[in-house]
Amino acid sequence: MSASQSATRYLYDLADGDASMKPLLGGKGANVAEMMRLGVPVPDGFTVTTAACVEAMRRDSQWPEGLWEETLAALERLEDRTGRQLGSPERPLLVSVRSGAVVSMPGMMDTILNLGISDATVEALGAESDNPRFAWDSYRRFIQMYGEVVEGVPAHAYEDLITAMKRTRGVEEDTELDVPALQELVDQFKAVSREHMGEELPEAPRDQLRRAIDAVFRSWQNPRAAIYRKANGIPDDLGTAVNVMQMVFGNRGDTSATGVCFTRNPATGAKELYGEFLLNAQGEDVVAGIRTPRPLAEMKDLLPEAYEQLLDTMRRLEEHYGDMQDIEFTVDEGSLYLLQTRNGKRTAPAAFKVARDLVEEGVITREQALRRVEPAQLDQLLHPAIDPEHDQKPITKGLNASPGAAVGEIVFDSDTAERRGKAGDAVVLVRWETTPDDIGGTLVAQGVLTAHGGMTSHAAVVARGMGKPCVAGASELKIDAAARQLTIGDTVLTEGDVITLDGSTGEVYAGALELVPPQINEDFASVVGWADETRRMQVRANADTGEDAAKAREFGAQGIGLCRTEHMFMAEDRLPAVRRMILAKDEEERAAALETILPMQQQDFEAIFEAMSGLPVTIRLLDPPLHEFLPDLVEQALLVQRLEQQAGEASDSEELAEARLLLSQVKKLTEMNPMLGTRGVRLALLYPEIPQMQVRAIARAAFAVRQRGGEPLVEIMVPLVAYAEELRRMREIIEETLDEEFESSGERFDYTVGTMIELPRAAVVADQIAEHADFFSFGTNDLTQTGIGISRDDAEGSFLSAYVDSEVVAANPFSSIDVDGVGGLVRLGVEGGRRAKADLKLGVCGEHGGDPASIGLFESLGLDYVSCSPYRVPIARFSAARAVLDAREDDEE
Ligand code: PEP
Ligand code: MG
């Protein structure tokens, strides 16, 4: 290897770079180089690489060998190209020295502008622009910036002098200071710099340049940059590039200007002129808002050539990057320069419109369009949102359990919510945590706020299923339901006070904030439709009613992946029969109670089969522990006590007897760890009459729907299986029951039997379980609970949120799957299952089925489908497509 090949190159002229060199040139350097490559007018210059900065850090601020020589040579080339020289009293070259990290860190590092201005050059600059004031103002700005950034002179040292000068001259604004005043300030600035530095300000511009580059290197390590990196997960060892570019001036008189523009309207996405500019001004004047900028259209008359060139450049840049651009430009004596272009930030509706329009204009492909919107933006359009223009501060923050915004009066119990909601009042149900009993209130409330419970808590699951905003586990909330009052720090709110919830962020506001309605439009439908062309996985919905199923189908669900049958048991008209079943003294009594429930269940299933006709419906047999259908132990004990006191002598009243019976049953069924107790398949094997009744209801519903011309596709799912033997026995019960139904009706239908994989043991022995299963559906809620060993009801309200805040864990594992741990269990389950049965159908129905990041994992594991609440179906469709694109990109790398 020759010496020249082995030496690291620490510097590139802009003309030698391009967009692909971002790691070396930083975002800004690579971007400007790319523009130059495209022939877009940009100020000329060169970039000192991130590698040079890293090397300097490694060597304790000593520059790597050869860097200074390379810099001097690059400067000479720049001087040749521009026909100007740094420090020359004729046609002086002025440069900017700017940081430019690989990942944008706006405002975190340092910049020095106007380098090259000095006693020797200031007059020439003034004469050239015919504007001595501009020259002297630039000079004083330079001394100030150089002093602060490079030499560490405190900002107030200069600011105090400006204030004093304005006072003696009797003016208000900096811009009113005239040439003599500015000249005097320059002298004062030099003196104050000398005082602080203990030496003269270096006059030689090459010296200044070296020190300025060095200061930008150092600014990578300043405290605010370090904090920003930590907050944004940017590695500390990347270093920054340093861009040295010729200064261009928008403040050289009336043929100069500076401005910003977007290639489309970032609020609406419309293809129209959007931007503003100021004549005779510098960039900071636009930002500072001292003068009101003019709409871009006015530039047409004032600077016609630059205007036409700008429009043409906007078109080219948008086409090149295939996305809406956010552009900063300067016109220096009639010549246009682009200082920056980047993909423009935009609202959610604009994101969809831009993506769709760019496809229709032939600028990008449909697959590229899928990269122009983010899943969170889908969420925003699917639900009402708080108008982003507000300036309110939230009173507290909980978990963003179900997206969308809600405004309503506080109510503290479900019955009141139900009564007032039905009367047409907008109410928000505020509870310590919700129980199945709260379903009535939830249904009519605008939203739900709980102090306790997590992302997979009942409140969250139910609210998501209904598409209702929910903030859960807002642990600062102190609720006194009896006093109808809630307290958050010093804020006290009582029933009837209005609050606003943002279920997308978890924020809670006092009072009513302005909302914007959901905006599902053709742009949205087109983009999500394109996702369907790309994705591999199917998307199903978790839905328990015909109504939800119909909604899910509307959103594009390709079946039901989880129908939780317990929600049907909770309905008010069912609960008495369900309780009779649980309290039955013998099998006969239980059978009688089940007889009452059966037709109701059949009705539920009919509605779902009908809504999903022709698409698969996975019905899960009863899962929760029975005590969930009974009153709370403490409340029931208190009721018995109260009735005993009331009854006095007549302690054998019927009501009391019933209450006592219920209490003893609640006691019997109450478990210390109900989530690990008698639930799921365990319950079904203890009381086979229950699954038998459910299976009969399924069969009869299927026949009834078929008779009406529908096409029910039946899949029966067994929850909480840990042992293959459990599933073998359950399958037997299901098959025998169905055979009986087939026999008595004289007809039959095809069906499959599968299981949830939601316990670690099941994942480990998935090959054994697969022998008895036609499909697996990963219950990642319980698999997270049992796999990590954290309670899905409690953890998020206690240590887990602290873990998330202090980054012990990267994300809440109940929202976004723990890839290494729980994801590893899913992987085991997939491998075991497919080993035993190559065509085993695999899906996921935990809440992670609607989470974009988790969907990426499921795609990589080759699952056949994800299932999520109806309102998340479009996001899942979209995310499944993105997962395919991401995987393809990884392959290509
Ligand atoms: C699960 O555990 O992931 C699941 C889908 O079931 P549930 O949330 O009803 O326990
Ligand atoms: Mg479960």
Side-chain angles (χ1 to χ4, degrees):
M1 198 184 278
S2 76
S4 68
Q5 271 174 321
S6 65
T8 313
R9 186 172 164 190
Y10 287 117
L11 190 147
Y12 288 81
D13 285 350
L14 285 178
D16 295 340
D18 64 47
S20 71
M21 293 166 73
K22 208 164 148 186
L24 208 52
L25 303 181
K28 179 173 280 158
N31 220 271
V32 178
E34 180 77 7
M35 285 200 279
M36 185 175 263
R37 206 175 62 81
L38 292 172
V40 168
V42 291
D44 203 348
F46 56 88
T47 304
V48 181
T49 65
T50 54
C53 174
V54 170
E55 188 59 16
M57 283 196 292
R58 199 180 65 79
R59 304 161 107 232
D60 223 5
S61 289
Q62 289 295 309
W63 280 26
E65 212 143 311
L67 175 56
W68 180 234
E69 290 69 26
E70 273 189 73
T71 309
L72 288 175
L75 180 63
E76 248 167 64
R77 290 194 297 274
L78 180 62
E79 288 175 333
D80 283 350
R81 288 195 301 269
T82 56
R84 292 173 172 273
Q85 287 193 335
L86 199 67
S88 160
E90 277 158 45
R91 292 181 58 76
L93 172 69
L94 264 56
V95 294
S96 62
V97 183
R98 294 174 199 263
S99 58
V102 179
V103 186
S104 157
M105 294 169 50
M108 294 301 128
M109 288 177 294
D110 290 328
T111 289
I112 296 105
L113 302 177
N114 298 329
L115 193 142
I117 201 164
S118 63
D119 289 350
T121 59
V122 64
E123 295 294 349
L125 190 66
E128 225 186 293
S129 58
D130 202 14
N131 191 341
R133 192 194 174 278
F134 148 73
W136 284 98
D137 191 43
S138 301
Y139 195 9
R140 72 97 191 150
R141 283 177 201 246
F142 168 69
I143 300 176
Q144 185 170 359
M145 210 175 227
Y146 179 88
E148 279 177 41
V149 171
V150 182
E151 309 292 352
V153 180
H156 72 82
Y158 302 109
E159 290 299 336
D160 290 350
L161 291 171
I162 299 179
T163 311
M165 182 62 74
K166 281 192 288 192
R167 200 178 312 123
T168 44
R169 303 275 161 155
V171 299
E172 294 275 322
E173 305 289 346
D174 295 6
T175 46
E176 293 172 277
L177 292 172
D178 58 9
V179 172
L182 291 167
Q183 284 171 332
E184 211 178 313
L185 263 186
V186 163
D187 283 340
Q188 292 177 358
F189 275 18
K190 281 188 195 165
V192 86
S193 304
R194 189 185 320 119
E195 215 172 279
H196 281 274
M197 290 165 58
E199 57 178 321
E200 288 292 334
L201 207 76
E203 264 284 321
R206 277 172 169 66
D207 242 13
Q208 292 174 349
L209 178 63
R210 182 176 177 133
R211 290 187 191 218
I213 294 174
D214 207 42
V216 176
F217 280 167
R218 282 199 311 269
S219 74
W220 173 258
Q221 284 167 305
N222 75 31
R224 66 171 190 269
I227 292 168
Y228 185 90
R229 284 198 294 275
K230 187 167 188 311
N232 291 280
I234 303 169
D236 277 332
D237 56 4
L238 294 179
T240 180
V242 185
N243 300 295
V244 178
M245 283 159 69
Q246 184 185 7
M247 286 290 300
V248 288
F249 296 97
N251 53 347
R252 267 207 254 236
D254 282 345
T255 53
S256 299
T258 186
V260 291
C261 60
F262 285 80
T263 53
R264 294 172 194 241
N265 183 326
T268 64
K271 194 174 184 180
E272 62 195 19
L273 213 51
Y274 190 97
E276 45 195 28
F277 76 108
L278 269 175
L279 267 190
N280 192 13
Q282 277 194 314
E284 59 198 61
D285 300 331
V286 180
V287 184
I290 301 165
R291 287 162 54 193
T292 311
R294 301 172 178 218
L296 197 60
E298 288 182 17
M299 199 172 133
K300 189 175 171 118
D301 293 333
L302 294 168
L303 299 165
E305 267 175 45
Y307 176 78
E308 287 307 326
Q309 205 185 352
L310 177 64
L311 290 200
D312 182 52
T313 306
M314 282 162 78
R315 247 190 320 273
R316 283 174 52 204
L317 286 174
E318 192 180 81
E319 240 167 67
H320 179 70
Y321 288 101
D323 202 358
M324 178 181 85
Q325 296 297 297
D326 168 357
I327 290 167
E328 287 173 26
F329 67 90
T330 286
V331 182
D332 189 341
E333 300 195 308
S335 305
L336 175 75
Y337 293 94
L338 265 76
L339 304 183
Q340 175 128 300
T341 187
R342 57 189 160 196
N343 294 338
K345 297 245 178 298
R346 64 208 76 177
T347 64
F352 284 91
K353 178 156 178 55
V354 169
R356 182 176 173 216
D357 288 354
L358 286 173
V359 169
E360 282 175 5
E361 291 162 25
V363 178
I364 56 172
T365 63
R366 291 175 169 195
E367 287 194 349
Q368 284 172 317
L370 297 176
R371 295 220 167 274
R372 301 289 179 270
V373 290
E374 291 306 318
Q377 293 175 317
L378 272 86
D379 234 359
Q380 268 183 41
L381 292 205
L382 279 163
H383 300 92
I386 295 180
D387 188 336
E389 299 290 300
H390 77 92
D391 58 359
Q392 300 289 307
K393 280 218 159 50
I395 48 172
T396 192
K397 193 162 182 228
L399 298 166
N400 50 343
S402 178
V407 178
E409 288 181 30
I410 297 172
V411 293
F412 290 101
D413 68 284
S414 177
D415 290 346
T416 312
E418 201 169 345
R419 184 172 45 74
R420 295 204 45 202
K422 280 185 179 153
D425 296 341
V427 294
V428 170
L429 181 59
V430 180
R431 303 279 287 149
W432 159 246
E433 65 182 343
T434 70
T435 69
D437 274 350
D438 294 324
I439 189 102
T442 306
L443 208 53
V444 295
Q446 304 297 307
V448 179
L449 168 63
T450 72
H452 187 67
M455 296 298 282
T456 57
S457 65
H458 183 266
V461 170
V462 169
R464 270 199 294 277
M466 293 177 183
K468 204 146 282 229
C470 173
V471 174
S475 50
E476 288 176 336
L477 222 67
K478 293 194 176 51
I479 299 173
D480 185 344
R484 316 236 136 225
Q485 189 167 295
L486 75 83
T487 316
I488 301 162
D490 296 336
T491 312
V492 180
L493 297 168
T494 45
E495 186 151 297
D497 286 348
V498 174
I499 54 169
T500 302
L501 305 183
D502 189 339
S504 308
T505 62
E507 285 164 341
V508 181
Y509 299 85
L513 268 62
E514 203 71 41
L515 301 192
V516 287
Q519 298 167 69
I520 306 176
N521 54 20
E522 274 180 40
D523 300 326
F524 180 93
S526 299
V527 175
V528 176
W530 296 334
D532 294 341
E533 297 166 7
T534 299
R535 70 185 157 91
R536 181 192 60 80
M537 285 191 292
Q538 301 248 312
V539 175
R540 296 193 186 187
N542 296 352
D544 316 332
T545 65
E547 220 173 275
D548 288 354
K551 185 99 225 154
R553 196 167 188 161
E554 225 176 86
F555 282 141
Q558 295 163 291
I560 300 284
L562 171 63
C563 169
R564 292 180 167 101
T565 50
E566 53 271 17
H567 291 158
M568 305 162 179
F569 280 40
M570 307 279 186
E572 219 175 312
D573 54 338
R574 318 270 169 95
L575 212 51
V578 174
R579 285 190 178 163
R580 268 207 309 285
M581 169 194 83
I582 298 170
L583 299 176
K585 286 191 283 302
D586 50 35
E587 255 174 58
E588 215 172 300
E589 252 188 60
R590 184 168 306 116
L594 285 167
E595 274 307 305
T596 332
I597 302 169
L598 191 148
M600 301 177 182
Q601 281 261 276
Q602 184 182 332
Q603 263 177 22
D604 301 325
F605 297 146
E606 279 182 36
I608 293 170
F609 286 144
E610 233 154 56
M612 278 288 159
S613 177
L615 296 175
V617 174
T618 304
I619 295 178
R620 182 178 72 184
L621 301 177
L622 192 66
D623 182 25
L626 291 182
H627 83 270
E628 285 202 11
F629 302 101
L630 299 179
D632 175 74
L633 176 65
V634 177
E635 275 175 25
Q636 191 62 19
L638 288 172
L639 176 69
V640 168
Q641 196 184 36
R642 203 172 63 241
L643 288 174
E644 278 173 350
Q645 277 163 2
Q646 275 171 12
E649 291 304 298
S651 61
D652 55 351
S653 84
E654 205 175 301
E655 197 187 357
L656 179 58
E658 227 171 74
R660 279 181 174 148
L661 179 63
L662 199 51
L663 177 62
S664 74
Q665 200 66 8
V666 172
K667 275 187 188 157
K668 207 161 93 192
L669 292 173
T670 297
E671 295 172 315
M672 291 301 283
N673 284 315
M675 276 292 181
L676 305 179
T678 316
R679 53 175 285 219
V681 67
R682 305 162 189 174
L683 185 71
L685 289 175
L686 268 189
Y687 305 104
E689 317 77 271
I690 301 177
Q692 276 161 355
M693 178 279 289
Q694 291 196 293
V695 170
R696 280 188 211 294
I698 293 170
R700 291 174 198 183
F703 286 137
V705 168
R706 200 154 72 176
Q707 203 151 35
R708 295 198 287 272
E711 193 194 344
L713 300 181
V714 179
E715 302 179 339
I716 299 176
M717 181 156 75
V718 182
L720 216 76
V721 164
Y723 298 90
E725 181 60 14
E726 289 172 319
L727 187 61
R728 192 193 66 75
R729 290 187 191 193
M730 269 313 292
R731 188 169 190 126
E732 214 167 74
I733 292 173
I734 294 165
E735 283 175 351
E736 277 170 11
T737 310
L738 282 175
D739 283 344
E740 281 172 28
E741 288 295 310
F742 292 167
E743 195 153 316
S744 65
S745 68
E747 46 178 334
R748 55 175 300 125
F749 53 79
D750 291 331
Y751 63 90
T752 56
V753 176
T755 180
M756 308 264 309
I757 300 288
E758 50 185 344
L759 294 172
R761 187 180 198 282
V764 173
V765 301
D767 54 340
Q768 298 169 18
I769 293 175
E771 301 287 338
H772 310 287
D774 302 316
F775 64 88
F776 281 176
S777 180
F778 290 92
T780 46
N781 302 334
D782 275 309
L783 200 55
T784 298
Q785 169 164 260
T786 53
I788 310 182
I790 50 178
S791 160
R792 59 194 272 192
D793 294 312
D794 305 309
E796 288 152 288
S798 58
F799 72 92
L800 191 55
S801 46
Y803 267 32
V804 174
D805 288 347
S806 63
E807 296 173 29
V808 175
V809 292
N812 176 350
F814 288 111
S815 328
S816 200
I817 199 153
D818 156 36
V819 173
D820 296 342
V822 180
L825 288 170
V826 176
R827 183 187 303 274
L828 262 187
V830 168
E831 287 168 359
R834 289 244 159 99
R835 200 163 51 240
K837 221 176 236 178
D839 61 346
L840 187 72
K841 193 161 59 173
L842 300 171
V844 61
C845 64
E847 291 304 303
H848 306 89
D851 171 59
S854 311
I855 288 172
L857 174 75
F858 302 140
E859 169 64 29
S860 73
L861 294 178
L863 296 195
D864 297 305
Y865 67 88
V866 295
S867 189
C868 58
S869 64
Y871 287 84
R872 289 170 98 180
V873 164
I875 294 162
R877 287 163 62 199
F878 175 80
S879 304
R882 279 282 285 263
V884 168
L885 297 179
D886 289 347
R888 211 183 285 161
E889 212 164 79
D890 286 349
D891 279 353
E892 279 163 13
E893 264 172 20

